[in-house]
Amino acid sequence: MDKESQNRLKHFAALKSKYQATQHQDSSPASLLYLILRKVDLEIELSDLESNWLGESELKETLKAIKQEQQHKVQEFGNLEFEFSKLKSKYKATNHNVSWQSSHLYFILLKLESGKLLTDSEVKYLRTNGLYDTNRIAQEVNRFTQLKSKYKATQYQDSYPDSQLYQILKKLEVTERLSNSEYNWLLNNQLLETAEICKQQESAKEAKFAELKDEYQAIKYSDLSLSSPLYSILQNIDAKNNLSESEINWLEQQGLSETIAIAQELEQTREFAALRYKYKITHYEDSSPKSHLYKVLKRLDSSNQLGEQDINFLKKRKLTEIIEIANEKYASTLKYKIDSGELLNESEIDWLKNNRREDIIILAQQKHFTILKRKYGLIYLSLVLEPFYAIMVKLEKKERLDPKLVLQLMEEELLSPGGKIALAYYRLEAEFYEQEFHRTGNKWDIPTASSYWRKADEPEQALKLTNLDLNQIRESKLKSAISVTRGAAFRDIGNLADAENCAKKAMEYHSASHQPYTLMGAICYDKGDYLKGDYWYKQAIQRGAKPEDIDDEIKRVVRSTKDEKKRHEAADYLLKKDAVRYAWAKSYLKKSSDNSK
């Protein structure tokens, strides 16, 4: 008998034993029973003829065993599918819809469940199929397995990351102290070697604590407990970490001033080393934070200007490149200040001048010029930087303008009534002449200051200044001048009765002056009594007033009239009187007509 036939006989015998058919005498591989049993073992469904043959051949036990085997396989199939579903849920893979029969996932999850490490190809499979949570858990399982091996806990079967053992082993890995309950858990789970490692760690930490106390002069603190705040503080110092404010406060409360001094010196030494590295200072030997260079570099790093002493210190040590860096940083700081809308002070501008940074000075002036133009209502005028920047800076500093600068304002018509720059200029002049009066006692400064107060649109200040007992003044011309400017101030606030009284007194004091008569003419125009006003203007001309000045005064009166109806009446009167001479009045008739539409 050849070898193949022998193998067939052995296989047939094994199948008969498996399916309880040993009583069947026929052992030939050509037997119909051998065919049937092979089909059953290969999970091929039997035909009716084959099932009936088994019954007729008194192989009912065999038929029963076959049915039981089939039922067992169906049940086992369901068990496998259920276990796969549980593993998918446990390892966050429920979104991966694959059959357990054809997918690699079942095998991978079983490896994780048994605490086995995944191969690179298995990890790649998880990533390729978007199983990132599963991969993350796999990494934790991997770490857990390694920690169990390291800390003698391999007998503990559970390898899932939510295990309490995993949390304990992670603490041991970073030498974090275990709680009493965690230590007892190790003992209760017979993880005695792991517990011993924990005790060894505690002993090593206690020894290290004592060493740190000695090194950082904290011996006077007697508590050796690892839960003491001092232990974590000394660890921070030893790890070259800066202490927090709360840690320093705690050391102060314990009287550990030496420890604080050491920590701060170490911190400063580290900072000094970092600054030297940053600014490429390699040839300077002194590394102590007590060195003056440390203070210089700290000031430099905070973008503060270096003083003359610091500059000389750097020059003597041939650290000129640091001076250049400092100058550039300070220049950048000033540029940022300018860009932020802040103004440079005089010392900063002097520094720029001394360091020949005209570019930043010009930038500062241009930015400031724009701010001042906006402040004085000139933002839409195309004014050149000089001299108008210098003019506005002087006004800001409350410095009087040179006559040349005043002339330039007049040429640009910037001293027109009501303009912000005109108001600032007139207010400055008013304050100057009022101060001069108080300084020198020269009463002729009173009407001058009063006139400027009026032009500055502050008639109340003029009235306050001119509220004098004129009987104390001997000079008639001066009394007349004060009365005229006081009356004009009353007229500015609409008090025409007091304005008229002042004008009449001025005439009494000095009848030859044309100014009281000009004032009376303006008062009459304000009242709408134009004929009487013309009479007083004529009297003013007879006393030396120029006709063209009177015309300008009438023009100012009409322009400043707030009542639209009165302005229309005045313009109409003037045009009827002389349409050529008062042609400018036509514009007021047009404005009135436009407003009525």
Side-chain angles (χ1 to χ4, degrees):
M1 184 181 293
D2 59 23
K3 190 173 182 179
E4 183 179 350
S5 298
Q6 290 177 355
N7 289 337
R8 284 174 176 266
L9 286 173
K10 288 180 181 179
H11 185 227
F12 189 12
L15 290 176
K16 286 201 296 182
S17 175
K18 180 178 180 180
Y19 293 105
Q20 301 182 24
T22 53
Q23 72 273 23
H24 193 72
Q25 298 299 317
D26 190 356
S27 298
S28 170
S31 166
L32 183 58
L33 179 60
Y34 185 35
L35 169 66
I36 291 172
L37 294 181
R38 278 190 296 169
K39 287 181 69 176
V40 170
D41 206 48
L42 293 172
E43 298 184 4
I44 299 173
E45 189 176 355
L46 298 181
S47 65
D48 291 341
L49 287 175
E50 291 166 332
S51 298
N52 293 336
W53 183 85
L54 287 172
E56 292 170 356
S57 301
E58 298 182 356
L59 292 169
K60 292 181 181 179
E61 291 298 321
T62 301
L63 185 60
K64 182 179 177 182
I66 290 171
K67 288 181 179 180
Q68 288 176 342
E69 177 69 14
Q70 289 175 338
Q71 289 174 352
H72 173 74
K73 287 181 178 179
V74 170
Q75 184 177 359
E76 190 62 23
F77 188 95
N79 290 340
L80 288 169
E81 189 167 10
F82 177 70
E83 288 172 8
F84 182 44
S85 176
K86 282 179 64 179
L87 288 172
K88 282 174 65 179
S89 176
K90 182 175 182 178
Y91 290 96
K92 314 294 182 185
T94 52
N95 58 335
H96 192 55
N97 296 317
V98 292
S99 169
W100 64 268
Q101 301 173 69
S102 58
S103 170
H104 298 302
L105 184 61
Y106 199 174
F107 180 77
I108 292 171
L109 297 182
L110 278 173
K111 282 189 76 173
L112 292 177
E113 184 70 1
S114 60
K116 299 291 191 302
L117 302 182
L118 300 186
T119 64
D120 291 343
S121 61
E122 289 165 343
V123 171
K124 183 179 179 181
Y125 174 88
L126 294 176
R127 290 175 178 168
T128 302
N129 288 277
L131 297 168
Y132 302 112
D133 288 337
T134 308
N135 187 46
R136 177 182 54 77
I137 295 172
Q139 291 173 354
E140 291 292 311
V141 170
N142 182 17
R143 188 183 177 207
F144 190 8
T145 302
Q146 292 173 340
L147 291 176
K148 285 201 293 184
S149 175
K150 182 176 180 179
Y151 293 102
K152 314 297 183 184
T154 51
Q155 72 267 35
Y156 191 77
Q157 296 301 311
D158 187 2
S159 295
Y160 198 72
D162 65 356
S163 164
Q164 186 170 0
L165 177 60
Y166 186 35
Q167 312 310 315
I168 291 173
L169 296 183
K170 284 195 291 184
K171 278 190 171 184
L172 291 177
E173 182 67 4
V174 295
T175 65
E176 184 179 338
R177 192 179 186 208
L178 299 188
S179 65
N180 290 334
S181 62
E182 289 170 328
Y183 182 77
N184 290 331
W185 187 92
L186 292 175
L187 296 177
N188 293 336
N189 284 273
Q190 298 301 308
L191 295 170
L192 304 182
E193 288 182 284
T194 309
E196 182 60 28
I197 293 173
C198 174
K199 286 178 66 178
Q200 292 171 1
Q201 276 193 359
E202 291 293 296
S203 298
K205 284 189 281 187
E206 287 172 357
K208 182 63 177 177
F209 186 14
E211 181 184 322
L212 292 174
K213 285 175 67 177
D214 183 57
E215 182 177 355
Y216 297 111
Q217 298 184 23
I219 297 297
K220 66 174 71 174
Y221 188 76
S222 58
D223 189 358
L224 285 173
S225 170
L226 296 177
S227 60
S228 165
L230 180 61
Y231 181 50
S232 61
I233 291 173
L234 295 181
Q235 281 184 308
N236 267 340
I237 297 174
D238 202 52
K240 299 180 180 180
N241 296 326
N242 296 340
L243 297 186
S244 66
E245 186 177 349
S246 61
E247 289 173 326
I248 293 173
N249 290 338
W250 188 89
L251 290 172
E252 287 177 343
Q253 291 169 5
Q254 309 306 316
L256 297 172
S257 56
E258 296 90 346
T259 308
I260 296 172
I262 293 172
Q264 290 177 339
E265 185 174 355
L266 290 172
E267 181 182 338
Q268 291 168 355
T269 302
R270 289 193 297 272
E271 185 182 23
F272 188 19
L275 289 171
R276 288 171 62 189
Y277 177 80
K278 179 177 180 179
Y279 294 107
K280 301 177 181 177
I281 302 174
T282 56
H283 60 276
Y284 193 78
E285 294 182 359
D286 189 356
S287 60
S288 169
K290 295 177 182 178
S291 165
H292 185 66
L293 180 61
Y294 173 53
K295 298 175 183 176
V296 172
L297 294 181
K298 279 192 71 174
R299 279 193 282 271
L300 170 60
D301 207 53
S302 59
S303 296
N304 288 330
Q305 179 188 3
L306 296 186
E308 186 176 352
Q309 181 185 358
D310 294 338
I311 298 294
N312 291 334
F313 174 87
L314 294 172
K315 283 180 179 178
K316 287 179 181 179
R317 286 150 185 82
K318 297 181 180 180
L319 295 170
T320 53
E321 67 277 7
I322 302 301
I323 298 174
E324 293 173 5
I325 293 172
N327 287 345
E328 195 56 41
K329 282 176 72 73
Y330 188 59
S332 298
T333 300
L334 296 182
K335 284 179 68 176
Y336 178 79
K337 185 176 181 180
I338 294 166
D339 291 336
S340 301
E342 295 184 56
L343 302 180
L344 301 185
N345 57 44
E346 289 186 10
S347 65
E348 290 168 337
I349 293 173
D350 287 341
W351 184 90
L352 291 171
K353 288 177 180 177
N354 294 334
N355 287 274
R356 298 179 181 178
R357 295 306 302 261
E358 286 77 11
D359 56 325
I360 301 179
I361 293 174
I362 292 172
L363 175 65
Q365 288 176 341
Q366 290 171 338
K367 291 277 188 179
H368 193 202
F369 187 38
T370 301
I371 293 170
L372 292 177
K373 283 173 66 179
R374 184 175 290 109
K375 177 178 178 179
Y376 288 104
L378 307 174
I379 195 66
Y380 299 109
L381 297 181
S382 55
L383 299 175
V384 294
L385 186 70
E386 294 299 342
F388 297 102
Y389 175 63
I391 289 172
M392 286 187 281
V393 168
K394 277 182 169 291
L395 293 176
E396 286 292 293
K397 294 180 179 180
K398 297 190 179 299
E399 295 178 4
R400 295 183 72 213
L401 302 183
D402 301 332
K404 185 179 178 181
L405 296 179
V406 177
L407 182 62
Q408 286 174 310
L409 288 177
M410 293 174 68
E411 287 175 353
E412 292 291 333
E413 298 183 352
L414 295 177
L415 290 182
S416 303
K420 290 183 180 180
I421 199 165
L423 293 175
Y425 165 69
Y426 291 134
R427 185 179 300 109
L428 197 59
E429 290 297 294
E431 289 172 347
F432 170 76
Y433 282 106
E434 188 168 334
Q435 289 168 4
E436 281 295 288
F437 161 64
H438 292 300
R439 185 178 70 85
T440 66
N442 181 6
K443 293 184 173 59
W444 275 104
D445 288 328
I446 295 174
T448 305
S450 175
S451 176
Y452 279 120
W453 278 125
R454 290 185 55 242
K455 290 179 180 179
D457 201 19
E458 296 186 49
E460 294 83 0
Q461 291 294 331
L463 291 172
K464 182 179 178 181
L465 177 63
T466 57
N467 187 18
L468 304 170
D469 181 3
L470 297 183
N471 293 324
Q472 300 297 320
I473 299 175
R474 294 181 180 181
E475 194 175 351
S476 298
K477 289 182 180 181
L478 177 56
K479 290 198 285 187
S480 178
I482 293 174
S483 297
V484 168
T485 189
R486 183 171 177 79
F490 275 125
R491 178 175 167 261
D492 291 338
I493 64 173
N495 187 345
L496 299 182
D498 285 340
E500 187 172 344
N501 289 336
C502 288
K504 289 177 179 178
K505 284 182 180 181
M507 292 176 190
E508 293 174 8
Y509 292 136
H510 187 43
S511 60
S513 172
H514 64 80
Q515 291 178 339
Y517 299 91
T518 304
L519 175 59
M520 281 295 291
I523 293 169
C524 290
Y525 261 65
D526 287 341
K527 292 180 176 181
D529 193 346
Y530 307 115
L531 289 174
K532 197 170 184 180
D534 287 341
Y535 166 77
W536 288 115
Y537 283 135
K538 186 176 179 181
Q539 293 294 314
I541 291 171
Q542 290 176 0
R543 286 164 174 77
K546 296 179 181 180
E548 55 269 26
D549 290 342
I550 295 299
D551 286 351
D552 288 340
E553 175 66 19
I554 293 173
K555 190 174 183 179
R556 280 194 294 272
V557 170
V558 175
R559 183 178 61 230
S560 61
T561 300
K562 296 178 182 179
D563 190 303
E564 188 70 32
K565 185 178 179 182
K566 282 188 176 182
R567 188 187 298 120
H568 184 278
E569 289 177 356
D572 188 50
Y573 167 77
L574 292 170
L575 288 169
K576 288 178 179 178
K577 179 181 176 182
D578 191 330
V580 176
R581 182 177 177 182
Y582 302 110
W584 51 264
K586 291 180 181 178
S587 63
Y588 294 106
L589 291 180
K590 185 177 183 302
K591 287 179 183 177
S592 178
S593 175
D594 292 341
N595 291 336
S596 64
K597 289 180 181 179

